[in-house]
Amino acid sequence: MTAQVKRDFLIAYIVDRLTEYLIEDNNIGLDEALKLVYRSNVYQQLLDEDGELYIQSPSYVYELLKKNHLQIS
């Protein structure tokens, strides 16, 4: 497995978990949750190879998403 494939896998996993957290915590649908994730600055940070946010746990990334970009509880 190449480094790029591993990175893509980790990003996809984090996006899946973020979506699940948003649905559970905010009682929203799948489409809305995905829009929130993909339109966030956190998603852009996940794609940044140099920042390596993609190696963090999904729960840590979710806290960043809530705190810095969504203003949700």
Side-chain angles (χ1 to χ4, degrees), residues 5-59:
V5 171
K6 288 179 186 177
R7 190 172 75 85
D8 291 345
F9 175 81
L10 290 171
I11 291 169
Y13 175 72
I14 291 172
V15 168
D16 287 349
R17 296 297 295 152
L18 293 177
T19 304
E20 289 175 18
Y21 294 151
L22 285 167
I23 290 169
E24 291 170 7
D25 291 351
N26 299 283
N27 197 29
I28 60 176
L30 177 63
D31 289 344
E32 183 65 21
L34 287 170
K35 285 179 189 176
L36 289 170
V37 172
Y38 285 123
R39 291 179 179 171
S40 71
N41 291 336
V42 168
Y43 180 70
Q44 296 306 313
Q45 292 171 352
L46 280 172
L47 299 178
D48 180 11
E49 292 180 38
D50 296 330
E52 296 187 344
L53 182 60
Y54 60 89
I55 65 172
Q56 300 296 325
S57 73
S59 59

